[in-house]
Amino acid sequence: MMTAEPITLRKTLTDDTFFLNMGPQHPSTHGVLRLLLKLDGEYVRACEPVLGYSHRGHEHMAQNRTYLQFMPNPSRMDYLSGLLYNDAYCRAVEKACAIRVPERAEYIRAICCELNRISSHLLWFGSYVMDLGGITPFLYAFDDREDVLGILNEVSGSRLTYSYCCFGGVSRDLNDPFLQKLKAFIPKMRGRLKDYDTLVSKNIIFIKRTRDVGVIHADLARDYGLTGSTLRASGVSYDIRKKEPYGLYPEFDFEVPTRPEGDCLARYQVRLAEIEQSLRIVEQALARMPQGPICAENVPQYVTPEPGDYHFSYESARGQVGIYIVSDGSRIPYRMKWRTPSFCNLSILPVLLPGTLVADTIAILGSLDVVIPEIDR
Amino acid sequence: MCCGVSKDTAKLRPGKGRPNKIMNAQTAIEKRLIHRFGETLIGPADDSFKGFHVRLDLPKERIPELAQLLHEAGCFLEYVTAVDRNDHLELVYVFGTYGDPARIRAGVRVPKGETAPSISRVFPGADWHEREVFDFFGQVFSGHPDLKRILLPETADYHPLLKDFRAPARLNGMQGPERP
């Protein structure tokens, strides 16, 4: 990026401090995040994240095309939980247009979305432990994630950027290979969670790298608008699936894992506990799923919400996605704003890093579970 | 309290049984909102349909006051954004709570070219949101610690979400689609 003006942080350098550019190609910044660090020896004195390297103008694209034409875009914002974003967008439009989704489609969405949440957490788990120097769990996690991607591929035809949901339901019904693979996957994943527990959670090196590192207190989290598992590791039980439930979530029996510590280890423990909760939701949905239509009938090709503004909140793998749609009654959105959880979760980094070691920068940044294309949009 | 949300805010959500108007409010935070912002309330907000529980329409000078009140009440800032209404910008501030859902939407009309007060002293997280609004709409926030572009290159000389923006053939040295 060309800079017309000197970065503010550079102006504050003194004789004792020097400047380090971490990223945008640093492997532990998971995408294209650039961190400007002011260092005093091994200690971070100040940090300034530079965003926008993968800005694609999704909000501008939204106001240049119809609601249906925008369908492929949301899953490309957060490509690790693409189906959740796809579902969020469909639900936002369905709510604004009062489209009812058939019950079977709701169950299918719940199953597929929770699977996608598991795959997103698995990727985070593998890459986070690798950031801290453990290569082996990465291979196991990607093996499990490959299973999930294979399952979702059976029904949606894609592995990463899904457009499986459609306004009023889902585009294809579940098939036998999907159900067979899924039934084999659930017990295998439970066994793997035990392996992860012995391999990583009780590993003394891992615990020493993460305990009491990057502590976020609940009040600080609120000042920066944190949501998702990053917030729940600070002791706040805030999950949209419980607070403002959508779909069938009020009917499922699941817990919202929280930890009071607020450090990197707590964020790790919350996410691993969430995998188990997602498995529970999948099991319950599989057991109760009725037969019936998978998509509402008579959904118009051009959905047109009444003039006005609409908000919809959704719990993605990283926190609260807020979709704000302003309609002028035409086929094309007048304005569409995406409040992405990583944007807010990362904004806390400049107050979290000062005083920590450079090595802990990796541990803290990784524990926030940010996806940069979701921030840059 | 673990989550820093006061009991008062938790009750802010209008119940399903009673008319969905904050004017029937009983709790302290609702009384404070009515007391300080009663004339700016527009309702009834239809939370089940449009996602907002409380709607306010404020003059721009009063935004820091509202932010302060909601910060003390235990709310968090969900986002700040803007809508280009052709003759003016409408800034949209959305606040939520970690307790029971109470989503407060404050709309502010700002004529194009005028500044609006920053709330980043009250909610530090507003820093990036206000930078984004500046980036996309050119809205200047007075009192912001470091107002500069956040997603677009610092060399950019355009604000792409304004309705009169037309993407040029070449942008930042990259060839765009042919336009008539």
Side-chain angles (χ1 to χ4, degrees):
Chain A
M1 187 192 285
M2 282 173 61
T3 48
E5 293 187 5
I7 300 289
T8 322
L9 194 117
R10 279 185 164 155
K11 294 179 194 163
T12 65
L13 290 180
T14 59
D15 288 347
D16 297 339
T17 55
F18 68 102
F19 163 85
L20 183 76
N21 208 359
M22 185 182 276
Q25 281 87 22
H26 194 286
S28 74
T29 55
H30 298 288
V32 277
L33 172 67
R34 180 175 169 213
L35 293 180
L36 303 173
L37 299 175
K38 187 169 95 171
L39 300 179
D40 181 358
E42 274 286 298
Y43 286 91
V44 179
R45 288 283 167 251
C47 159
E48 185 183 338
V50 181
L51 309 176
Y53 285 89
S54 60
H55 175 64
R56 290 143 294 165
H58 280 297
E59 289 179 13
H60 190 267
M61 279 188 242
Q63 54 191 42
N64 281 314
R65 57 200 67 200
T66 65
Y67 290 91
L68 185 61
Q69 284 174 326
F70 190 67
M71 186 73 89
N73 289 56
S75 61
R76 280 156 177 82
M77 293 186 202
D78 178 358
Y79 48 79
L80 297 183
S81 59
L83 191 55
L84 294 162
Y85 266 61
N86 183 218
D87 187 31
Y89 177 60
C90 287
R91 285 184 192 278
V93 174
E94 281 157 7
K95 186 175 165 189
C97 300
I99 299 169
R100 283 184 64 85
V101 178
E103 202 179 1
R104 184 177 171 84
E106 288 280 16
Y107 276 101
I108 295 175
R109 279 187 183 184
I111 293 171
C112 295
C113 288
E114 291 308 319
L115 283 174
N116 198 204
R117 196 185 306 274
I118 293 172
S119 80
S120 172
H121 281 352
L122 280 172
L123 184 133
W124 172 81
F125 165 76
S127 55
Y128 184 55
V129 181
M130 193 168 74
D131 285 348
L132 298 178
I135 308 287
T136 314
F138 176 81
L139 302 172
Y140 283 87
F142 267 62
D143 181 35
D144 291 342
R145 178 169 174 268
E146 192 62 31
D147 286 349
V148 182
L149 297 186
I151 292 169
L152 290 175
N153 187 24
E154 288 290 348
V155 71
S156 67
S158 41
R159 286 164 51 85
L160 212 59
T161 49
Y162 307 94
S163 296
Y164 176 50
C165 301
C166 58
F167 299 142
V170 293
S171 57
R172 262 170 284 178
D173 205 347
L174 300 185
N175 50 24
D176 286 337
F178 176 90
L179 293 170
Q180 283 163 8
K181 284 184 180 177
L182 180 55
K183 277 171 186 160
F185 169 74
I186 293 172
K188 184 192 167 197
M189 189 66 231
R190 287 233 163 86
R192 279 295 174 85
L193 283 176
K194 285 193 189 114
D195 291 349
Y196 297 155
D197 210 37
T198 45
L199 189 63
V200 181
S201 310
K202 291 173 184 163
N203 184 309
I204 189 67
I205 301 170
F206 178 77
I207 291 172
K208 290 210 167 185
R209 286 292 310 271
T210 52
R211 178 173 282 165
D212 297 329
V213 172
V215 178
I216 304 174
H217 293 291
D219 282 344
L220 188 67
R222 182 167 68 86
D223 280 350
Y224 284 87
L226 262 57
T227 50
S229 35
T230 310
L231 173 74
R232 291 192 283 272
S234 299
V236 185
S237 176
Y238 179 71
D239 189 318
I240 304 287
R241 292 175 295 171
K242 288 280 190 195
K243 297 284 182 192
E244 295 175 79
Y246 48 84
L248 292 172
Y249 283 106
E251 295 177 21
F252 295 130
D253 175 28
F254 68 102
E255 287 157 17
V256 178
T258 55
R259 298 288 303 177
E261 294 92 355
D263 55 5
C264 294
L265 185 61
R267 294 191 271 280
Y268 165 87
Q269 287 163 333
V270 164
R271 286 197 191 102
L272 248 66
E274 281 180 8
I275 296 180
E276 168 58 27
Q277 298 303 321
S278 292
L279 286 174
R280 283 179 64 191
I281 296 173
V282 171
E283 278 182 328
Q284 292 169 42
L286 268 180
R288 295 183 203 162
M289 187 166 56
Q291 293 296 323
I294 56 158
C295 193
E297 289 174 9
N298 303 325
V299 178
Q301 184 183 2
Y302 298 106
V303 290
T304 49
E306 293 290 312
D309 58 350
Y310 305 85
H311 175 95
F312 183 74
S313 285
Y314 190 93
E315 185 74 23
S316 89
R318 281 161 195 82
Q320 181 197 1
V321 179
I323 306 168
Y324 177 67
I325 298 175
V326 181
S327 169
D328 58 354
S330 71
R331 293 170 172 183
I332 295 169
Y334 188 76
R335 169 91 175 94
M336 194 187 292
K337 153 83 182 168
W338 285 74
R339 182 247 193 236
T340 50
S342 295
F343 186 85
C344 302
N345 290 358
L346 186 72
S347 69
I348 203 170
L349 200 64
V351 293
L352 217 50
L353 287 189
T356 61
L357 291 160
V358 177
D360 288 342
T361 302
I362 308 293
I364 294 170
L365 174 64
S367 74
L368 295 177
D369 189 16
V370 291
V371 170
I372 308 304
E374 176 192 64
I375 297 171
D376 291 349
R377 278 161 287 153
Chain B
M1 195 166 296
C2 70
C3 53
V5 176
S6 74
K7 283 178 186 169
D8 296 329
T9 330
K11 288 181 193 160
L12 191 60
R13 183 190 188 187
K16 278 184 182 164
R18 61 197 169 102
N20 201 352
K21 278 186 186 172
I22 196 165
M23 299 319 245
N24 295 339
Q26 298 299 325
T27 61
I29 175 68
E30 289 175 57
K31 281 178 185 159
R32 281 168 76 185
L33 264 181
I34 292 169
H35 180 64
R36 301 248 304 259
F37 296 96
E39 73 286 359
T40 65
L41 289 169
I42 43 176
D46 192 347
D47 65 298
S48 62
F49 180 47
K50 291 191 169 178
F52 298 110
H53 302 90
V54 180
R55 281 172 189 262
L56 303 156
D57 223 340
L58 291 178
K60 64 179 183 180
E61 296 79 20
R62 300 195 66 190
I63 272 293
E65 187 189 343
L66 176 76
Q68 190 66 46
L69 183 112
L70 293 174
H71 188 267
E72 286 162 13
C75 296
F76 72 99
L77 179 72
E78 288 197 5
Y79 54 86
V80 181
T81 187
V83 183
D84 184 2
R85 301 287 188 186
N86 294 321
D87 59 332
H88 67 279
L89 278 184
E90 184 186 11
L91 300 183
V92 179
Y93 296 77
V94 179
F95 301 91
T97 70
Y98 292 143
D100 284 347
R103 188 163 292 107
I104 297 150
R105 174 201 187 278
V108 180
R109 286 170 66 104
V110 183
K112 284 184 182 169
E114 288 192 13
T115 62
S118 167
I119 61 167
S120 55
R121 282 180 209 285
V122 188
F123 286 100
D127 179 343
W128 283 19
H129 291 288
E130 287 174 350
R131 277 174 68 188
E132 189 188 307
V133 173
F134 166 72
D135 201 356
F136 288 165
F137 293 91
Q139 174 64 48
V140 176
F141 291 91
S142 55
H144 188 284
D146 189 17
L147 193 66
K148 59 183 179 185
R149 289 185 180 270
I150 184 164
L151 294 182
L152 292 171
E154 290 186 27
T155 48
D157 56 355
Y158 49 87
H159 299 289
L161 289 187
L162 291 174
K163 288 288 175 186
D164 58 5
F165 170 74
R166 293 282 172 276
R170 285 186 76 83
L171 202 57
N172 303 327
M174 286 180 288
Q175 182 71 41
E178 291 295 324
R179 285 186 184 266

